[in-house]
Amino acid sequence: MAPQFRHHDSPAGAAAAARRAQILTSHLVLHNQAPPSSQQHPITTLTSNVCLSYSPPELSETISFDPKEMRRLLDGHHIAERDWLFGLIEGNELFNPVRKGGKVYVMPDVNQPFQQQREMNMKRIKYLFDKGVHKGFYTEAADSGAEAYMRNLALQEVLRTYDLTLGIQMGLHLFLWGSYVKFLGSKHHQEKWLKATESYEIIVCIAMSELGHGSNLQAIETVATYDSSTEEFVVNTPCESAQKHMIGLAANYATHALVFAQLHTNGRNQGLHAFVVQIRDANGRTCPKVRIEDCGPKNGLNAIDNGQIWFDNVRIPRENLLNGVADVLPDGQYVTKIKDPRERHGQQLAPLTIGRVIVSTSSIYKTKVSLAIAIRYALSRRAFSVTPNGPEVLLLDYPSHQRRLLPLLAKTYAMSFAGNWLKLTFTKREPQSYKAVVVFSVAFKAIFTWHSMRTLQECREACGAQGMKAVNRLGLMVAESDAQLTYEGDNNLLLQQVSRIVLTEFLAAKKHKRPLKEFGLEHMNEPSPVIPSQLSSSILRSSQFQIAALRLRERDLLHRFSSEVSKHQFWGETKDQAINLAYHLYKELSKAFTERMILQLTIEAEESISAGPIKDVLALVRSLYALICIEEDDTFLRYGHLSAENAATVREEVTKLCSELRPHALALVSSFGIPDSFLAPIAFDWVEANSWSSVSGGH
Amino acid sequence: MAPQFRHHDSPAGAAAAARRAQILTSHLVLHNQAPPSSQQHPITTLTSNVCLSYSPPELSETISFDPKEMRRLLDGHHIAERDWLFGLIEGNELFNPVRKGGKVYVMPDVNQPFQQQREMNMKRIKYLFDKGVHKGFYTEAADSGAEAYMRNLALQEVLRTYDLTLGIQMGLHLFLWGSYVKFLGSKHHQEKWLKATESYEIIVCIAMSELGHGSNLQAIETVATYDSSTEEFVVNTPCESAQKHMIGLAANYATHALVFAQLHTNGRNQGLHAFVVQIRDANGRTCPKVRIEDCGPKNGLNAIDNGQIWFDNVRIPRENLLNGVADVLPDGQYVTKIKDPRERHGQQLAPLTIGRVIVSTSSIYKTKVSLAIAIRYALSRRAFSVTPNGPEVLLLDYPSHQRRLLPLLAKTYAMSFAGNWLKLTFTKREPQSYKAVVVFSVAFKAIFTWHSMRTLQECREACGAQGMKAVNRLGLMVAESDAQLTYEGDNNLLLQQVSRIVLTEFLAAKKHKRPLKEFGLEHMNEPSPVIPSQLSSSILRSSQFQIAALRLRERDLLHRFSSEVSKHQFWGETKDQAINLAYHLYKELSKAFTERMILQLTIEAEESISAGPIKDVLALVRSLYALICIEEDDTFLRYGHLSAENAATVREEVTKLCSELRPHALALVSSFGIPDSFLAPIAFDWVEANSWSSVSGGH
C-alpha cells in the first residue's frame, strides 16, 4: 500500500484562515504553557550539546543492607528452587529471548495470533515438565508433604513472573483439578488419576462456570442424572445458558473435564456435584456427544485456550462422581455423611481455595516486576530542573513521584509477608486453622489482585510512553493481570463474602456470649483502643499505634455493619437484601479486616529478625504500609476515627517516610530477587537499548 | 502438538495423601463458602429445568423521555453527520463485521500481528477519505469556518468509537500538523502544505518527543543549525537520547516530519522551533541522512506505526522553518516579534491545544460505548435471589451495582456537556477566551481520560468474564485508551500545569488588587459560601447548593495551595520546588477547579431547556454528578468543608439518586445514540450470541 493517497493540484481560499491565524498568533501568549522550569532556557550562547547518558543507579545509590538477606525474608521459602527455574528460562530460545542494550530479556511474544501463543505456551510447559518442574507433584511429593507443596507454590510464582498463562495452564490442571481428586476423590480416584495428572497423561479442565451462571454456582443448569439400569450418570446441557463457558484448557488441550452439575437421582436433585467426563480421545478429537468451541481472543491471557462445552447426554460410569462428600449407590440411593445441603455445597467448592492462594500470592510476586522496572527507571530518568541552571532532577527525587511509587512498594512488601503466611497456613492446614485459610484466601485474593492491577498501571503511567512498549512489559502486564479480578471469584463478591463470614463469627460470639477467637478478631474482646488526640511522629511510627488504629477502624466498621444489617432486617428485609443494602460498609469492613491482618503479619515478620539495618528499613516499610492504609481510606475521617488535624499529621508523616525510604529504593527492589532478564530494557541502559545499533539489526 | 505428553504407568504412595484428604474432608465445613442466597437450594424434588432466556431490556424498562431529544442535547452538534459516518462503517466488510446472535458488530481484529493491523487501518482511512470524511479539511472547510470544524470534531468522535487508532492516525496528520501550518506557518506554507495535507498527498508526523525528553520540551536535544552560505538549516540528532521516539506515523506512513529542534544561528541557540523535513520519497523509501526504526508492538493502539527517527545533518531550505513566531533572515539574523523567550516557547506549543480538545472530548464519547454495554448487560443478566424462592435479581437492581455504574454514567453526561462547550469555545475562540481554552483543554484532558479509563475498567469488571472477550470490546478498550493518559501531556503534569495557571491568575489579581475574572473564578471575589449545618435532600439536590459546595472547596484549596507555595518559598525553595512540595494540594486544586467548571456547564445545559421529562431526569443526573464529586473526594472531610454528619447525608443521597436513576438507565444509555453494531454481543441477546448455532459456524 502506498504511504499516502496521491491527489494532485494546489492552492485555495486560505485567506480567511490565514487572517484568523494572524489574529490568533498575535494573542497566543502562553506563559501558561511554559514548562515548570524556566531557568534552563534560553541558552543565549551556543553551548556544545552535552548528551544524556545512562548512569546505572548502582553507581549513585548506596545499599545500606544486604538485599540477599532481605530476599530470604521476603520470599520466605525455596529461593534456590526459584533461581533454578529462573535459570531454566533465562536466555532459553523457547522463551523468546529479546536482545536490547547488551542484555537479554525473556518475554512471551504477544504480537502473535492467539493460536500461536497457545502453541508456544504448551511447548514451554512440555520443556519445563521435562526439566522436572512440578515433578512428581502428587506421588513423589506426597512423601515430602508440605515442603514439596511449598516448593511447587514457589515455582508457580516464578512461572507467572515470566507469563501468567504459563502458570495458569499448569495451575488449573495440576493444582485445581489435582486438589479435587485429592480432597473429593476416593482412594480409587486418587490411584486412577493423580499419577496420570502429574505425568500429563491426561489434561483436565475445570468445567464449572456456565454462560448463565458464573458466581451463583448453586443455580448452574448442567444436569447429571443417574441411570441405575446401566449404573451411569447422564451428563447433559439442557439449554444454551447451561453451556460451560470460558473454561480454561477446554478449547484445545484438555482430555477430560471436571464437570459441575446438579446431581439428579431417584427423582430428586441433590445439588452441585463434580463429575469426570472425557472430552477428547487419544488423538485429540472431541468425543462423541461433546461439543466444544473456542471463546476466541481476549484482552489478555491469550495463550489460555478458553472454550465453551456442551454435553449431549454423555454417559459416564457411576464411579466418575468424585464421592468424597456424597455418593450414589448402584441402585440410585444418595448417601452422604453431611446432612446440611449448604454444608455439602460448600465442601464441593472447598478445593477452590488453592486457586485463590496461588492467584493472590503470585499476583504480588508479579507486582515486584513492575516496581523494580518503574523504580529503576525513576532512578535513571531525569526531567526538569528545580533550581536555576541546575541539572534535571531524577524522577524519584520528586516528592510526587515518591508518593506514587513508594507506598505501593511498601504494600507489596507487607503483602509478601502476609502471602507467605497464607501459603504456609494453607499447606500445613489443620482443622482449627482451616476457617482462617478460607477467609484470608478470599480476602487476600481480592485485595492483592486489586493492589497488583493498581500498581502495574501506576508503574506503566510512571514510565510514560516507555511503559506502553511491549518490550517494557508494563502495559501488557496490566492486560494480563486483569482477569485475576474476576476468576477464582469476582473481587466485589469476595469482599461481600469476607464481611459475611466476619459478621457470622461476630454474631455467633455475641449470641453465645463467648469471646471472639478467630481471624485475629480477639482484639474485639478488649476495650476499644484510644487514639491520642495529638499524634507525633514517634507515635505514628510505633507498631503499637498502627495496629491499634487499624483495629479501631475494623472494630467500628464491624459494629456499624452489624447494626446496619440488623436495622434492615428489622424493617423486613431478608438477610441477603440487608447485606446488599449495606454495601458501603461491607466493602469498608472487609478492606479494614484484611489490612489489619496484613499489618499484623508484617509486624510479626519484622519481629522475627534481630536488630540491624534490615530491621531498621523494615520498620520504615511497615510504618509506610500502616500510614498509607490510614491516609488513603476516608473511613477514618468519615466515621471520626481520626480528627482532621490528626489526618493532616498522618499525611505529613507519609511524605516524610517516602523521603526516608527514597535512599533505600534501589536496595528494596533489588531484594525482590527478580533476575534482570525478567525485567525490561527501561530498567537498565535504556539509551543503549534504543540506540540505532541496538534496534536497527545492523542494516 | 499432542494435547498431552504421554507417559505411562500408574499408582503410588498416595496413602498419606488419602489419609490427609479424609481428615480434611471431614473438617471442610464451610458455611462460609455458601453463596449469598441459600433459599434457592436445595430443590429436593426434581423440577424440569427452566432455562434462562434472554429478555431484551426494552421489554421491561420504561422510557420516560425521548432519547432522540436527549441525544441532541448530549451530542450538541452534527448528529446527521455522525450517523452518516456510523452508516459508512456499519456492516462494511472493510471494518471487520462480526456476526453474533443475529446481529452484526464492527470492530477491528486485534488478533492480527501489528503490521497487518496497520495495513487495515490505512485501508480504512483511504476508504473513508474517498467517501468524503474530513473532505476539504483546510480549503473547502475554511469557507464555512467554525461549522466545518465542529463537523470534523464530531466525525473524530465517531471514528474513535470504532477504533481509536483510526481517529488518531487522521488526527495527528490533519488536525495537529495542519494546525501547525495554519497557525505557525506563513501564507506561503499554508499554500504549499494545506491542500497537500487534506488530500493526503503528504502524510506528516509530529516529531516532538525524544528518547531523553518527553515532557520537558525545552530541553530537547535535536538541533537545526542555520547555514547562511546555502540558506539551509542542518537538522541533526547529536546523540542517541536526541532521537525522536514513539512518533506516531513515523514507522511506516509519514512522508514528512514536523521536527522540533533547537534553532542555532549566528552562534546562538534561540530555543525550540518547528521545521518541516521530508523523511520518505515518493516511493516510500527513507530519505538519505534519515534513519527510521519501528518502536514495535505496544499494549494498545497497535495500528499506529510509532517509530524512532535519527537525522544525520539533513539539509532543508530556510523556508522549512514554520516562521509564524520567529524567522531567520537569509544572512542568519534571528527576528521575532516576541521578545520573551518563554512566551515564544509557549507559542511554539500552542497548536497542541487541538490535540487535547480531541483527546478529551472523544474519550468521553468512547466511554459511552462501555456504559451502554455494561448497563444493557446489567439489565439482562441476573445473579442470586434475595428472597426465599424468588427469581434471580437483575444486576442493575443491586444497590452496589447501581453505585458502581450510575455515578460514572452521570459523570459521562456532565463531561459531555462540558466537552461540547470546550469544542465550541476552541473552534470559535476569540482573544479573550483563549486562555480559558488552553487551561480547560489541559484540565479536561487529564480528568476526562482518567474518568474514561476508570469507567472502561469498571464496566469490564462489571461484565465479569464476558468483559474480557475481545468480541465484547471492554477489556480491549481499556488497553486502547491507556496511552491517552500519557500522550498530549502526561496527566499528572497537566494537573500541575492547571494549578500553576490558576495560582498565577490568583496572585496577579491579588497583587494588582483587581477582581478575578478568568476561568469562572469570579466567585472568589465574593464572600465564602456557607454550607448549612444540616443538609436535607432538597438542599442537596439544588444546583445552588451544589455549585456553592464545589466553589467552597475550590476556593479553600486555592488559598491553601497559594499559602503552601509561599511558605516553601519563604523558607528558600525555588517556586518550582515549592510547587513540587505542595503536590497534594495542586492535585486536589486542579481536580476541584475542573469539577466545578464541569458542574457549571452542566447546570447551563440543563437551564437551556424547557420544563419536561428531559429536564427532570437531567436534574437527577446533575445532582448525582455533583454529589458523587463530593462523596468521592476526601478533601471535603479532610479540610472540614463538610461535617462527618453531612458527609453521611451526602452518601445517603447518592444511594437514593442511584435508585431514582435506575429506571431511566436504559433510556440514558440509548440517548448516547451509539448504533447497536458499535456495541457488543453482551449488550444484546448474549444467550443467542453464544449459542452453538451462532458460534459453531455450522460444523
Side-chain angles (χ1 to χ4, degrees):
Chain A
M1 172 173 197
Q4 70 275 31
F5 340 126
R6 301 216 151 267
H7 283 248
H8 284 289
D9 236 337
S10 53
R19 209 167 44 246
R20 280 188 49 238
Q22 285 312 314
I23 295 168
L24 275 169
T25 47
S26 61
H27 287 281
L28 289 175
V29 183
L30 295 173
H31 296 276
N32 308 331
Q33 286 211 344
S37 172
S38 53
Q39 293 85 355
Q40 315 167 48
H41 193 267
I43 308 157
T44 45
T45 54
L46 190 62
T47 54
S48 68
N49 257 283
V50 181
C51 283
L52 281 187
S53 64
Y54 175 81
S55 172
E58 282 78 2
L59 288 187
S60 45
E61 302 292 315
T62 52
I63 301 287
S64 64
F65 60 86
D66 179 7
K68 283 210 180 67
E69 195 185 328
M70 184 67 99
R71 184 186 176 198
R72 272 192 294 278
L73 212 59
L74 264 183
D75 277 0
H77 61 106
H78 296 97
I79 291 183
E81 289 77 2
R82 288 171 208 253
D83 288 342
W84 164 74
L85 180 49
F86 277 128
L88 281 181
I89 297 174
E90 276 192 289
N92 184 321
E93 285 304 319
L94 203 54
F95 290 83
N96 193 36
V98 173
R99 283 158 192 86
K100 288 274 178 197
K103 292 180 82 88
V104 179
Y105 303 91
V106 278
M107 56 189 73
D109 179 3
V110 295
N111 191 42
Q112 297 177 321
F114 72 84
Q115 300 86 338
Q116 285 171 42
Q117 292 185 46
R118 291 179 186 173
E119 284 167 30
M120 281 310 300
N121 199 41
M122 284 308 279
K123 279 185 195 162
R124 290 173 188 138
I125 291 173
K126 162 119 178 64
Y127 171 82
L128 294 170
F129 172 81
D130 289 342
K131 291 288 179 188
V133 173
H134 292 323
K135 181 157 180 272
F137 197 97
Y138 284 103
T139 53
E140 292 176 36
D143 303 325
S144 46
E147 161 70 18
Y149 208 83
M150 289 295 279
R151 175 180 181 273
N152 281 317
L153 289 174
L155 297 182
Q156 275 289 310
E157 292 178 345
V158 171
L159 291 169
R160 289 172 195 232
T161 300
Y162 172 74
D163 179 5
L164 271 188
T165 56
L166 196 60
I168 292 169
Q169 195 92 341
M170 298 190 196
L172 289 172
H173 168 67
L174 284 177
F175 286 82
L176 263 191
W177 148 251
S179 289
Y180 265 96
V181 179
K182 199 160 164 184
F183 300 119
L184 289 189
S186 62
K187 196 169 171 186
H188 166 75
H189 291 129
Q190 290 162 13
E191 280 167 7
K192 180 169 181 187
W193 298 117
L194 287 180
K195 177 83 182 168
T197 296
E198 70 175 30
S199 65
Y200 279 84
E201 198 175 333
I202 56 171
I203 294 181
V204 187
C205 63
I206 309 293
M208 185 176 270
S209 299
E210 296 178 352
L211 177 62
H213 292 95
S215 296
N216 185 8
L217 294 170
Q218 282 187 310
I220 69 170
E221 297 172 301
T222 301
V223 177
T225 308
Y226 184 67
D227 177 353
S228 59
S229 68
T230 57
E231 294 189 18
E232 289 171 321
F233 285 102
V234 184
V235 177
N236 193 43
T237 303
C239 49
E240 284 296 349
S241 58
Q243 65 176 262
K244 296 297 178 181
H245 197 79
M246 285 292 269
I247 308 303
L249 315 192
N252 295 126
Y253 298 112
T255 58
H256 294 69
L258 183 67
V259 180
F260 289 80
Q262 305 290 345
L263 189 164
H264 289 188
T265 183
N266 286 347
R268 292 168 79 101
N269 178 3
Q270 300 291 354
L272 197 73
H273 291 70
F275 304 84
V276 182
V277 180
Q278 184 164 2
I279 59 172
R280 284 192 177 84
D281 67 18
N283 299 312
R285 280 183 302 244
T286 305
C287 292
K289 300 187 176 176
V290 175
R291 290 171 287 151
I292 304 176
E293 275 298 325
D294 202 309
C295 287
K298 305 181 290 286
N299 63 321
L301 303 182
N302 274 309
I304 299 291
D305 55 319
N306 292 91
Q308 303 166 253
I309 317 175
W310 294 257
F311 300 99
D312 303 325
N313 292 313
V314 179
R315 288 186 167 260
I316 55 170
R318 184 179 67 95
E319 63 166 43
N320 280 21
L321 165 67
L322 292 190
N323 57 355
V325 167
D327 207 350
V328 170
L329 302 184
D331 65 355
Q333 195 192 329
Y334 182 77
V335 290
T336 176
K337 54 190 167 196
I338 301 166
K339 282 279 146 48
D340 181 355
R342 289 185 65 207
E343 215 173 294
R344 224 155 57 215
H345 178 81
Q347 288 216 15
Q348 301 285 2
L349 305 180
L352 296 179
T353 296
I354 180 58
R356 299 199 182 112
V357 171
I358 296 179
V359 169
S360 56
T361 56
S362 59
S363 76
I364 295 308
Y365 207 75
K366 186 112 192 175
T367 301
K368 295 174 182 175
V369 175
S370 70
L371 284 166
I373 293 172
I375 285 176
R376 291 188 61 92
Y377 185 62
L379 289 169
S380 71
R381 169 84 182 191
R382 295 170 181 275
F384 301 111
S385 70
V386 294
T387 52
N389 301 314
E392 286 189 287
V393 175
L394 281 176
L395 296 187
L396 204 61
D397 285 331
Y398 285 100
S400 58
H401 213 78
Q402 292 170 11
R403 178 61 181 73
R404 286 169 75 183
L405 296 179
L406 299 183
L408 298 173
L409 179 67
K411 284 188 177 188
T412 300
Y413 263 72
M415 290 177 190
S416 292
F417 297 129
N420 286 340
W421 169 85
L422 180 65
K423 282 181 281 182
L424 202 65
T425 313
F426 172 82
T427 302
K428 298 191 166 176
R429 63 197 174 281
E430 306 282 333
Q432 66 273 21
S433 66
Y434 195 71
K435 266 167 81 176
V437 167
V438 169
V439 73
F440 287 110
S441 68
V442 170
F444 287 4
K445 190 274 185 179
I447 299 296
F448 286 15
T449 57
W450 265 326
H451 165 71
S452 179
M453 273 293 273
R454 178 183 164 197
T455 305
L456 296 171
Q457 179 67 24
E458 191 68 57
C459 289
R460 198 303 280 156
E461 294 178 39
C463 292
Q466 290 293 345
M468 296 184 283
K469 290 166 75 176
V471 75
N472 288 329
R473 305 196 64 189
L474 297 169
L476 289 176
M477 286 200 290
V478 174
E480 188 189 9
S481 299
D482 177 40
Q484 295 185 124
L485 311 181
T486 297
Y487 62 53
E488 308 299 334
D490 172 85
N491 279 3
N492 281 289
L493 285 176
L494 294 184
L495 291 191
Q496 196 193 90
Q497 205 175 330
V498 169
S499 286
R500 270 177 183 273
I501 297 172
V502 172
L503 179 62
T504 303
E505 200 65 30
F506 175 70
L507 293 178
K510 208 164 150 185
K511 186 173 167 193
H512 300 108
K513 295 196 171 56
R514 57 169 169 75
L516 280 153
K517 56 188 176 49
E518 284 282 354
F519 314 145
L521 290 171
E522 295 82 346
H523 68 89
M524 302 278 300
N525 306 323
E526 307 296 319
S528 184
V530 177
I531 304 287
S533 58
Q534 278 232 290
L535 293 173
S536 65
S537 182
S538 69
I539 293 175
L540 286 170
R541 293 183 187 212
S542 77
S543 57
Q544 209 181 352
F545 160 78
Q546 292 158 4
I547 196 79
L550 297 205
R551 282 176 178 165
L552 174 66
R553 172 180 62 162
E554 178 184 29
R555 168 194 204 97
D556 180 49
L557 288 170
L558 179 46
H559 284 127
R560 284 173 190 269
F561 179 56
S562 172
S563 72
E564 182 85 356
V565 170
S566 303
K567 188 189 80 186
H568 290 303
Q569 286 183 288
F570 178 81
W571 291 109
E573 302 289 354
T574 61
K575 186 177 175 199
D576 288 330
Q577 185 63 358
I579 288 174
N580 287 331
L581 291 169
Y583 64 92
H584 277 300
L585 285 163
Y586 75 63
K587 287 184 181 184
E588 290 164 344
L589 169 60
S590 51
K591 188 166 161 250
F593 169 79
T594 311
E595 288 181 346
R596 184 267 305 153
M597 185 63 172
I598 295 169
L599 178 61
Q600 191 176 315
L601 294 165
T602 304
I603 293 171
E604 283 172 20
E606 185 190 345
E607 284 174 349
S608 75
I609 57 171
S610 46
I614 295 248
K615 201 178 181 100
D616 294 344
V617 79
L618 274 187
L620 295 176
V621 168
R622 181 254 307 150
S623 286
L624 184 52
Y625 175 74
L627 297 190
I628 202 69
C629 288
I630 296 173
E631 199 237 31
E632 280 183 348
D633 185 6
D634 71 2
T635 56
F636 282 92
L637 285 158
R638 186 176 288 282
Y639 303 120
H641 312 142
L642 274 191
S643 65
E645 194 191 343
N646 276 343
T649 314
V650 168
R651 175 169 276 191
E652 274 170 41
E653 200 65 23
V654 166
T655 302
K656 269 197 249 169
L657 283 165
C658 285
S659 71
E660 288 177 41
L661 273 173
R662 157 68 188 83
H664 302 292
L666 180 65
L668 286 167
V669 298
S670 302
S671 302
F672 290 153
I674 312 285
D676 293 0
S677 56
F678 285 72
L679 303 181
I682 38 161
F684 300 96
D685 188 346
W686 45 268
V687 177
E688 175 57 23
N690 286 290
S691 69
W692 172 256
S693 60
S694 259
V695 300
S696 67
H699 63 148
Chain B
M1 172 174 197
Q4 69 275 29
F5 339 126
R6 299 214 153 270
H7 282 248
H8 283 289
D9 236 336
S10 54
R19 207 165 48 245
R20 279 188 52 238
Q22 285 311 314
I23 293 168
L24 275 168
T25 46
S26 61
H27 286 283
L28 290 174
V29 182
L30 296 174
H31 295 276
N32 308 331
Q33 287 210 343
S37 172
S38 53
Q39 292 86 353
Q40 315 167 46
H41 194 268
I43 309 155
T44 43
T45 54
L46 190 61
T47 54
S48 67
N49 257 284
V50 181
C51 283
L52 280 187
S53 62
Y54 175 80
S55 171
E58 282 78 1
L59 287 187
S60 43
E61 303 292 314
T62 53
I63 301 287
S64 64
F65 60 86
D66 179 7
K68 283 209 179 68
E69 195 185 329
M70 183 67 99
R71 185 186 174 197
R72 273 192 293 278
L73 210 61
L74 264 183
D75 277 359
H77 60 106
H78 296 95
I79 290 182
E81 289 77 1
R82 289 171 207 254
D83 286 343
W84 164 73
L85 180 49
F86 277 129
L88 282 181
I89 298 173
E90 277 192 287
N92 184 320
E93 284 304 319
L94 205 52
F95 290 84
N96 193 36
V98 174
R99 285 159 190 86
K100 287 276 177 196
K103 291 179 83 88
V104 178
Y105 302 91
V106 278
M107 57 188 73
D109 179 3
V110 296
N111 190 42
Q112 295 177 321
F114 71 85
Q115 300 87 339
Q116 285 171 42
Q117 291 184 47
R118 291 181 187 172
E119 284 167 30
M120 281 310 302
N121 198 41
M122 284 308 279
K123 280 185 193 162
R124 289 172 189 141
I125 290 173
K126 162 117 179 63
Y127 171 83
L128 294 171
F129 173 81
D130 289 343
K131 291 288 177 187
V133 173
H134 292 323
K135 183 157 178 270
F137 197 96
Y138 284 103
T139 54
E140 293 176 35
D143 303 324
S144 44
E147 160 69 18
Y149 208 82
M150 289 296 280
R151 174 181 182 272
N152 281 317
L153 289 174
L155 296 183
Q156 274 290 309
E157 293 178 345
V158 171
L159 291 170
R160 289 172 196 232
T161 300
Y162 173 74
D163 180 5
L164 271 187
T165 57
L166 195 59
I168 292 169
Q169 195 92 342
M170 298 190 195
L172 289 171
H173 169 66
L174 285 177
F175 286 83
L176 262 190
W177 149 251
S179 289
Y180 265 96
V181 179
K182 197 160 168 186
F183 300 118
L184 289 190
S186 63
K187 196 169 171 188
H188 165 75
H189 290 130
Q190 289 163 12
E191 279 167 8
K192 180 168 180 188
W193 298 117
L194 286 180
K195 178 81 182 166
T197 297
E198 69 176 31
S199 64
Y200 279 85
E201 198 174 332
I202 56 170
I203 294 179
V204 187
C205 63
I206 308 293
M208 184 176 271
S209 301
E210 297 179 351
L211 178 61
H213 293 95
S215 296
N216 185 8
L217 293 170
Q218 283 186 309
I220 70 170
E221 297 172 302
T222 300
V223 177
T225 307
Y226 184 67
D227 178 353
S228 59
S229 68
T230 57
E231 296 189 17
E232 290 171 320
F233 286 103
V234 184
V235 178
N236 193 43
T237 304
C239 48
E240 284 296 349
S241 58
Q243 65 176 261
K244 297 297 179 181
H245 197 81
M246 283 295 267
I247 309 302
L249 316 191
N252 295 125
Y253 299 112
T255 59
H256 294 68
L258 182 68
V259 179
F260 288 80
Q262 306 289 346
L263 190 164
H264 288 188
T265 183
N266 287 346
R268 292 169 77 100
N269 179 2
Q270 301 291 355
L272 198 73
H273 290 70
F275 304 83
V276 182
V277 181
Q278 184 166 0
I279 58 172
R280 285 194 177 82
D281 67 17
N283 299 313
R285 280 183 304 242
T286 306
C287 292
K289 301 188 176 176
V290 175
R291 291 170 285 151
I292 303 176
E293 275 297 327
D294 202 309
C295 287
K298 305 181 290 290
N299 63 320
L301 303 181
N302 274 308
I304 299 292
D305 55 319
N306 291 90
Q308 303 164 253
I309 317 177
W310 295 257
F311 301 100
D312 302 326
N313 293 313
V314 179
R315 288 184 166 263
I316 55 169
R318 184 179 67 93
E319 63 164 42
N320 281 19
L321 165 67
L322 292 189
N323 57 355
V325 166
D327 208 349
V328 172
L329 301 184
D331 66 355
Q333 194 191 331
Y334 182 78
V335 290
T336 175
K337 55 190 168 196
I338 301 167
K339 284 277 148 44
D340 180 355
R342 288 185 65 207
E343 216 173 293
R344 223 155 56 217
H345 178 83
Q347 288 216 14
Q348 300 284 3
L349 304 180
L352 295 179
T353 297
I354 180 58
R356 299 199 182 112
V357 172
I358 296 180
V359 169
S360 56
T361 55
S362 60
S363 76
I364 295 307
Y365 207 75
K366 186 113 192 173
T367 301
K368 295 174 181 175
V369 175
S370 70
L371 284 166
I373 294 172
I375 286 176
R376 290 188 61 92
Y377 185 61
L379 289 169
S380 71
R381 169 84 183 192
R382 295 170 181 274
F384 300 112
S385 69
V386 294
T387 50
N389 301 314
E392 285 188 288
V393 175
L394 282 176
L395 296 187
L396 203 61
D397 285 330
Y398 284 101
S400 58
H401 213 77
Q402 292 170 11
R403 178 62 181 72
R404 287 170 73 182
L405 296 179
L406 299 184
L408 298 173
L409 179 68
K411 285 187 176 190
T412 299
Y413 263 72
M415 291 177 188
S416 291
F417 297 128
N420 287 340
W421 169 85
L422 179 66
K423 281 181 283 183
L424 202 64
T425 313
F426 172 82
T427 302
K428 300 191 164 176
R429 62 196 174 282
E430 306 283 336
Q432 66 274 20
S433 65
Y434 195 71
K435 267 168 81 176
V437 167
V438 169
V439 72
F440 287 111
S441 69
V442 170
F444 287 4
K445 190 275 187 180
I447 300 296
F448 286 15
T449 57
W450 265 326
H451 164 71
S452 179
M453 273 294 273
R454 178 184 164 196
T455 304
L456 295 171
Q457 179 67 26
E458 191 67 58
C459 289
R460 198 304 281 156
E461 293 178 39
C463 292
Q466 290 293 345
M468 297 185 281
K469 290 166 76 175
V471 75
N472 289 329
R473 307 196 62 190
L474 297 169
L476 289 175
M477 287 200 290
V478 174
E480 188 190 8
S481 299
D482 177 40
Q484 296 186 125
L485 311 180
T486 296
Y487 63 52
E488 308 298 334
D490 172 85
N491 279 2
N492 281 289
L493 285 176
L494 295 184
L495 290 190
Q496 196 193 89
Q497 205 176 328
V498 169
S499 286
R500 269 176 184 273
I501 297 172
V502 172
L503 179 62
T504 303
E505 200 64 29
F506 175 70
L507 293 178
K510 209 166 150 184
K511 187 174 167 191
H512 300 108
K513 295 196 171 58
R514 57 169 168 76
L516 280 154
K517 56 189 173 49
E518 284 281 355
F519 315 145
L521 290 171
E522 295 82 347
H523 68 89
M524 301 279 301
N525 308 321
E526 308 295 322
S528 182
V530 177
I531 302 288
S533 59
Q534 277 232 290
L535 293 172
S536 65
S537 181
S538 69
I539 294 176
L540 287 170
R541 292 185 186 210
S542 78
S543 57
Q544 209 181 351
F545 160 78
Q546 292 159 6
I547 196 78
L550 297 206
R551 282 175 177 164
L552 175 66
R553 172 179 61 161
E554 178 184 29
R555 168 192 204 101
D556 180 50
L557 288 170
L558 179 46
H559 284 127
R560 285 174 188 269
F561 179 56
S562 172
S563 72
E564 181 85 357
V565 171
S566 305
K567 187 190 79 185
H568 290 303
Q569 286 183 287
F570 178 81
W571 290 110
E573 301 288 356
T574 62
K575 187 178 174 198
D576 288 331
Q577 185 63 357
I579 288 174
N580 287 333
L581 291 169
Y583 65 91
H584 276 300
L585 283 163
Y586 75 63
K587 287 185 181 184
E588 289 165 345
L589 169 60
S590 51
K591 189 168 160 249
F593 170 79
T594 312
E595 289 181 346
R596 185 265 306 152
M597 185 64 173
I598 295 169
L599 178 61
Q600 192 175 314
L601 294 164
T602 304
I603 292 171
E604 283 172 22
E606 184 190 344
E607 283 173 350
S608 74
I609 56 170
S610 46
I614 295 248
K615 202 178 180 100
D616 294 344
V617 79
L618 274 187
L620 295 176
V621 168
R622 181 253 306 149
S623 287
L624 184 52
Y625 175 74
L627 298 190
I628 202 70
C629 287
I630 298 173
E631 198 237 31
E632 279 183 350
D633 185 6
D634 71 2
T635 57
F636 283 92
L637 284 159
R638 185 176 290 282
Y639 303 119
H641 313 144
L642 273 192
S643 65
E645 195 191 343
N646 276 344
T649 314
V650 168
R651 174 167 277 190
E652 272 170 41
E653 201 64 23
V654 166
T655 302
K656 270 197 248 168
L657 282 164
C658 285
S659 71
E660 288 176 42
L661 273 173
R662 157 68 188 84
H664 302 290
L666 180 65
L668 286 167
V669 298
S670 301
S671 302
F672 290 152
I674 312 285
D676 293 0
S677 56
F678 285 72
L679 303 181
I682 39 162
F684 300 96
D685 188 345
W686 45 269
V687 177
E688 176 56 24
N690 286 291
S691 69
W692 172 255
S693 60
S694 260
V695 300
S696 66
H699 63 145

